[in-house]
Amino acid sequence: MEAFKTVIWIINIFSALAVIVLVLMQHGKGADAGATFGSGSGSAQGVFGSGGNANFLSRSTAIAATIFFATCMAMVYTNTHSSKHGLDFSTVQQSTPAPVQTLPTDNTQQTPASPAK
C-alpha cells in the first residue's frame, strides 16, 4: 500500500508541474485585446477567441489538470480508508525517569574568618 501511495505522490507532483509549465507557456487570450479594440473591430470572438478552437497546449493542460485532480482524489481515498487513524503510541519505548538528586541542606552558616588587623 505504501508503494501505491508513493506512485500516486510522484504522478501528482509531475502533473502539478506540468500544469504550471503548460499554463505559463500559453499565449493569453486577452493579450491582443488592446490591438483589437484599437483597430475598430470589436467582435467578442476576436478578443476572447472562439469556443471550439483548442490547440495542443490547452488540451495538454486539461489532461494534466484532470490527472492532477484524479491523483488528489486518490490520495484522499487512500488516506481516509487506511487502517491507521490518528497517532499510534503503542510502539513507543517507555524510558525510566532519571533519579532525582536532592541537595543537602545545611542550616549552619559559617562566616569566613576576617583577617586580623
mmCIF file of all heavy atoms in Angstrom, residues 39-71:
data_model
loop_
_atom_site.group_PDB
_atom_site.id
_atom_site.type_symbol
_atom_site.label_atom_id
_atom_site.label_comp_id
_atom_site.label_asym_id
_atom_site.label_seq_id
_atom_site.Cartn_x
_atom_site.Cartn_y
_atom_site.Cartn_z
ATOM 1 N N SER A 39 -8.225 48.804 -33.247
ATOM 2 C CA SER A 39 -8.376 48.750 -34.698
ATOM 3 C C SER A 39 -9.817 48.945 -35.137
ATOM 4 O O SER A 39 -10.075 49.055 -36.319
ATOM 5 C CB SER A 39 -7.850 47.417 -35.232
ATOM 6 O OG SER A 39 -8.671 46.360 -34.767
ATOM 7 N N GLY A 40 -10.734 48.933 -34.211
ATOM 8 C CA GLY A 40 -12.114 49.193 -34.568
ATOM 9 C C GLY A 40 -12.944 47.943 -34.770
ATOM 10 O O GLY A 40 -14.152 48.029 -34.884
ATOM 11 N N SER A 41 -12.356 46.775 -34.858
ATOM 12 C CA SER A 41 -13.165 45.556 -34.995
ATOM 13 C C SER A 41 -13.410 45.013 -33.604
ATOM 14 O O SER A 41 -12.593 44.296 -33.051
ATOM 15 C CB SER A 41 -12.441 44.523 -35.864
ATOM 16 O OG SER A 41 -11.254 44.118 -35.246
ATOM 17 N N GLY A 42 -14.543 45.331 -33.018
ATOM 18 C CA GLY A 42 -14.813 44.973 -31.631
ATOM 19 C C GLY A 42 -15.647 43.734 -31.491
ATOM 20 O O GLY A 42 -16.552 43.698 -30.671
ATOM 21 N N SER A 43 -15.378 42.709 -32.255
ATOM 22 C CA SER A 43 -16.165 41.493 -32.094
ATOM 23 C C SER A 43 -15.663 40.713 -30.884
ATOM 24 O O SER A 43 -14.476 40.677 -30.600
ATOM 25 C CB SER A 43 -16.080 40.645 -33.366
ATOM 26 O OG SER A 43 -15.283 39.537 -33.204
ATOM 27 N N ALA A 44 -16.554 40.095 -30.169
ATOM 28 C CA ALA A 44 -16.194 39.378 -28.948
ATOM 29 C C ALA A 44 -15.355 38.144 -29.262
ATOM 30 O O ALA A 44 -14.505 37.761 -28.485
ATOM 31 C CB ALA A 44 -17.450 38.973 -28.187
ATOM 32 N N GLN A 45 -15.586 37.501 -30.397
ATOM 33 C CA GLN A 45 -14.797 36.322 -30.731
ATOM 34 C C GLN A 45 -13.364 36.700 -31.063
ATOM 35 O O GLN A 45 -12.447 35.939 -30.819
ATOM 36 C CB GLN A 45 -15.416 35.581 -31.911
ATOM 37 C CG GLN A 45 -16.497 34.616 -31.501
ATOM 38 C CD GLN A 45 -16.883 33.709 -32.647
ATOM 39 O OE1 GLN A 45 -16.680 34.034 -33.802
ATOM 40 N NE2 GLN A 45 -17.453 32.569 -32.318
ATOM 41 N N GLY A 46 -13.158 37.862 -31.619
ATOM 42 C CA GLY A 46 -11.797 38.286 -31.933
ATOM 43 C C GLY A 46 -10.990 38.569 -30.689
ATOM 44 O O GLY A 46 -9.790 38.350 -30.653
ATOM 45 N N VAL A 47 -11.640 39.036 -29.634
ATOM 46 C CA VAL A 47 -10.930 39.366 -28.406
ATOM 47 C C VAL A 47 -10.703 38.126 -27.555
ATOM 48 O O VAL A 47 -9.598 37.860 -27.095
ATOM 49 C CB VAL A 47 -11.727 40.417 -27.600
ATOM 50 C CG1 VAL A 47 -11.045 40.698 -26.273
ATOM 51 C CG2 VAL A 47 -11.875 41.684 -28.402
ATOM 52 N N PHE A 48 -11.747 37.357 -27.330
ATOM 53 C CA PHE A 48 -11.670 36.251 -26.387
ATOM 54 C C PHE A 48 -11.470 34.902 -27.050
ATOM 55 O O PHE A 48 -11.416 33.893 -26.366
ATOM 56 C CB PHE A 48 -12.933 36.228 -25.521
ATOM 57 C CG PHE A 48 -13.115 37.495 -24.743
ATOM 58 C CD1 PHE A 48 -14.112 38.387 -25.073
ATOM 59 C CD2 PHE A 48 -12.258 37.807 -23.698
ATOM 60 C CE1 PHE A 48 -14.272 39.552 -24.358
ATOM 61 C CE2 PHE A 48 -12.405 38.974 -22.990
ATOM 62 C CZ PHE A 48 -13.418 39.855 -23.324
ATOM 63 N N GLY A 49 -11.363 34.834 -28.320
ATOM 64 C CA GLY A 49 -11.146 33.568 -29.017
ATOM 65 C C GLY A 49 -12.449 32.815 -29.189
ATOM 66 O O GLY A 49 -13.432 33.040 -28.500
ATOM 67 N N SER A 50 -12.444 31.898 -30.138
ATOM 68 C CA SER A 50 -13.647 31.111 -30.366
ATOM 69 C C SER A 50 -13.677 29.939 -29.395
ATOM 70 O O SER A 50 -12.649 29.476 -28.919
ATOM 71 C CB SER A 50 -13.674 30.602 -31.810
ATOM 72 O OG SER A 50 -12.564 29.766 -32.035
ATOM 73 N N GLY A 51 -14.863 29.440 -29.117
ATOM 74 C CA GLY A 51 -15.020 28.390 -28.110
ATOM 75 C C GLY A 51 -14.465 27.055 -28.541
ATOM 76 O O GLY A 51 -13.931 26.307 -27.733
ATOM 77 N N GLY A 52 -14.555 26.686 -29.794
ATOM 78 C CA GLY A 52 -14.134 25.370 -30.245
ATOM 79 C C GLY A 52 -12.673 25.288 -30.650
ATOM 80 O O GLY A 52 -12.189 24.226 -30.995
ATOM 81 N N ASN A 53 -11.972 26.382 -30.632
ATOM 82 C CA ASN A 53 -10.590 26.390 -31.086
ATOM 83 C C ASN A 53 -9.671 26.061 -29.908
ATOM 84 O O ASN A 53 -9.379 26.905 -29.087
ATOM 85 C CB ASN A 53 -10.250 27.763 -31.670
ATOM 86 C CG ASN A 53 -8.895 27.766 -32.336
ATOM 87 O OD1 ASN A 53 -8.308 26.719 -32.528
ATOM 88 N ND2 ASN A 53 -8.421 28.939 -32.691
ATOM 89 N N ALA A 54 -9.216 24.820 -29.820
ATOM 90 C CA ALA A 54 -8.319 24.400 -28.753
ATOM 91 C C ALA A 54 -7.065 23.817 -29.391
ATOM 92 O O ALA A 54 -7.142 22.911 -30.215
ATOM 93 C CB ALA A 54 -8.997 23.368 -27.861
ATOM 94 N N ASN A 55 -5.926 24.348 -29.005
ATOM 95 C CA ASN A 55 -4.687 23.850 -29.572
ATOM 96 C C ASN A 55 -4.059 22.794 -28.661
ATOM 97 O O ASN A 55 -4.641 22.383 -27.657
ATOM 98 C CB ASN A 55 -3.720 25.004 -29.828
ATOM 99 C CG ASN A 55 -3.414 25.785 -28.569
ATOM 100 O OD1 ASN A 55 -3.810 25.391 -27.487
ATOM 101 N ND2 ASN A 55 -2.717 26.893 -28.722
ATOM 102 N N PHE A 56 -2.853 22.379 -29.020
ATOM 103 C CA PHE A 56 -2.172 21.305 -28.294
ATOM 104 C C PHE A 56 -1.904 21.678 -26.842
ATOM 105 O O PHE A 56 -2.079 20.850 -25.940
ATOM 106 C CB PHE A 56 -0.865 20.963 -29.011
ATOM 107 C CG PHE A 56 -0.033 19.962 -28.292
ATOM 108 C CD1 PHE A 56 -0.411 18.623 -28.268
ATOM 109 C CD2 PHE A 56 1.117 20.339 -27.619
ATOM 110 C CE1 PHE A 56 0.352 17.685 -27.595
ATOM 111 C CE2 PHE A 56 1.882 19.411 -26.939
ATOM 112 C CZ PHE A 56 1.501 18.077 -26.935
ATOM 113 N N LEU A 57 -1.494 22.916 -26.584
ATOM 114 C CA LEU A 57 -1.170 23.320 -25.216
ATOM 115 C C LEU A 57 -2.399 23.329 -24.313
ATOM 116 O O LEU A 57 -2.328 22.892 -23.163
ATOM 117 C CB LEU A 57 -0.512 24.698 -25.213
ATOM 118 C CG LEU A 57 0.926 24.756 -25.733
ATOM 119 C CD1 LEU A 57 1.419 26.195 -25.741
ATOM 120 C CD2 LEU A 57 1.835 23.901 -24.899
ATOM 121 N N SER A 58 -3.513 23.815 -24.815
ATOM 122 C CA SER A 58 -4.709 23.863 -23.971
ATOM 123 C C SER A 58 -5.255 22.465 -23.704
ATOM 124 O O SER A 58 -5.728 22.172 -22.595
ATOM 125 C CB SER A 58 -5.776 24.754 -24.600
ATOM 126 O OG SER A 58 -6.187 24.224 -25.842
ATOM 127 N N ARG A 59 -5.178 21.581 -24.694
ATOM 128 C CA ARG A 59 -5.627 20.196 -24.460
ATOM 129 C C ARG A 59 -4.689 19.481 -23.490
ATOM 130 O O ARG A 59 -5.137 18.724 -22.621
ATOM 131 C CB ARG A 59 -5.706 19.428 -25.781
ATOM 132 C CG ARG A 59 -6.839 19.894 -26.668
ATOM 133 C CD ARG A 59 -6.878 19.083 -27.947
ATOM 134 N NE ARG A 59 -7.721 19.721 -28.933
ATOM 135 C CZ ARG A 59 -8.975 19.385 -29.151
ATOM 136 N NH1 ARG A 59 -9.519 18.438 -28.418
ATOM 137 N NH2 ARG A 59 -9.684 19.998 -30.070
ATOM 138 N N SER A 60 -3.391 19.726 -23.626
ATOM 139 C CA SER A 60 -2.430 19.109 -22.701
ATOM 140 C C SER A 60 -2.634 19.613 -21.282
ATOM 141 O O SER A 60 -2.505 18.854 -20.316
ATOM 142 C CB SER A 60 -1.004 19.406 -23.156
ATOM 143 O OG SER A 60 -0.783 18.887 -24.437
ATOM 144 N N THR A 61 -2.956 20.897 -21.155
ATOM 145 C CA THR A 61 -3.215 21.461 -19.832
ATOM 146 C C THR A 61 -4.450 20.820 -19.211
ATOM 147 O O THR A 61 -4.460 20.504 -18.011
ATOM 148 C CB THR A 61 -3.402 22.983 -19.927
ATOM 149 O OG1 THR A 61 -2.268 23.541 -20.574
ATOM 150 C CG2 THR A 61 -3.569 23.605 -18.561
ATOM 151 N N ALA A 62 -5.476 20.614 -20.007
ATOM 152 C CA ALA A 62 -6.697 19.991 -19.494
ATOM 153 C C ALA A 62 -6.431 18.547 -19.054
ATOM 154 O O ALA A 62 -6.933 18.106 -18.009
ATOM 155 C CB ALA A 62 -7.788 20.026 -20.553
ATOM 156 N N ILE A 63 -5.619 17.828 -19.812
ATOM 157 C CA ILE A 63 -5.298 16.440 -19.448
ATOM 158 C C ILE A 63 -4.471 16.409 -18.168
ATOM 159 O O ILE A 63 -4.738 15.611 -17.256
ATOM 160 C CB ILE A 63 -4.567 15.741 -20.610
ATOM 161 C CG1 ILE A 63 -5.533 15.535 -21.782
ATOM 162 C CG2 ILE A 63 -3.974 14.408 -20.169
ATOM 163 C CD1 ILE A 63 -4.870 15.079 -23.059
ATOM 164 N N ALA A 64 -3.466 17.294 -18.073
ATOM 165 C CA ALA A 64 -2.624 17.327 -16.869
ATOM 166 C C ALA A 64 -3.441 17.737 -15.649
ATOM 167 O O ALA A 64 -3.247 17.203 -14.550
ATOM 168 C CB ALA A 64 -1.448 18.279 -17.071
ATOM 169 N N ALA A 65 -4.370 18.671 -15.816
ATOM 170 C CA ALA A 65 -5.217 19.083 -14.695
ATOM 171 C C ALA A 65 -6.152 17.957 -14.266
ATOM 172 O O ALA A 65 -6.399 17.767 -13.063
ATOM 173 C CB ALA A 65 -6.017 20.317 -15.083
ATOM 174 N N THR A 66 -6.651 17.189 -15.214
ATOM 175 C CA THR A 66 -7.510 16.054 -14.894
ATOM 176 C C THR A 66 -6.724 14.978 -14.134
ATOM 177 O O THR A 66 -7.221 14.406 -13.147
ATOM 178 C CB THR A 66 -8.120 15.452 -16.169
ATOM 179 O OG1 THR A 66 -8.826 16.490 -16.866
ATOM 180 C CG2 THR A 66 -9.058 14.316 -15.857
ATOM 181 N N ILE A 67 -5.494 14.719 -14.571
ATOM 182 C CA ILE A 67 -4.649 13.742 -13.874
ATOM 183 C C ILE A 67 -4.342 14.235 -12.463
ATOM 184 O O ILE A 67 -4.375 13.468 -11.498
ATOM 185 C CB ILE A 67 -3.364 13.474 -14.675
ATOM 186 C CG1 ILE A 67 -3.701 12.742 -15.974
ATOM 187 C CG2 ILE A 67 -2.354 12.678 -13.867
ATOM 188 C CD1 ILE A 67 -2.552 12.624 -16.942
ATOM 189 N N PHE A 68 -4.048 15.530 -12.319
ATOM 190 C CA PHE A 68 -3.766 16.104 -11.006
ATOM 191 C C PHE A 68 -4.976 15.955 -10.081
ATOM 192 O O PHE A 68 -4.849 15.548 -8.933
ATOM 193 C CB PHE A 68 -3.385 17.579 -11.148
ATOM 194 C CG PHE A 68 -3.158 18.275 -9.848
ATOM 195 C CD1 PHE A 68 -1.999 18.065 -9.128
ATOM 196 C CD2 PHE A 68 -4.107 19.148 -9.333
ATOM 197 C CE1 PHE A 68 -1.780 18.698 -7.918
ATOM 198 C CE2 PHE A 68 -3.902 19.788 -8.126
ATOM 199 C CZ PHE A 68 -2.738 19.562 -7.414
ATOM 200 N N PHE A 69 -6.150 16.256 -10.597
ATOM 201 C CA PHE A 69 -7.374 16.128 -9.797
ATOM 202 C C PHE A 69 -7.611 14.673 -9.403
ATOM 203 O O PHE A 69 -7.963 14.381 -8.251
ATOM 204 C CB PHE A 69 -8.567 16.680 -10.585
ATOM 205 C CG PHE A 69 -9.856 16.609 -9.843
ATOM 206 C CD1 PHE A 69 -10.138 17.480 -8.805
ATOM 207 C CD2 PHE A 69 -10.812 15.658 -10.170
ATOM 208 C CE1 PHE A 69 -11.324 17.412 -8.114
ATOM 209 C CE2 PHE A 69 -12.003 15.575 -9.483
ATOM 210 C CZ PHE A 69 -12.264 16.455 -8.453
ATOM 211 N N ALA A 70 -7.407 13.748 -10.339
ATOM 212 C CA ALA A 70 -7.639 12.333 -10.052
ATOM 213 C C ALA A 70 -6.653 11.812 -9.001
ATOM 214 O O ALA A 70 -7.043 11.057 -8.098
ATOM 215 C CB ALA A 70 -7.524 11.511 -11.337
ATOM 216 N N THR A 71 -5.397 12.229 -9.087
ATOM 217 C CA THR A 71 -4.428 11.774 -8.088
ATOM 218 C C THR A 71 -4.695 12.396 -6.727
ATOM 219 O O THR A 71 -4.462 11.753 -5.700
ATOM 220 C CB THR A 71 -2.986 12.056 -8.530
ATOM 221 O OG1 THR A 71 -2.846 13.451 -8.825
ATOM 222 C CG2 THR A 71 -2.607 11.234 -9.743
#
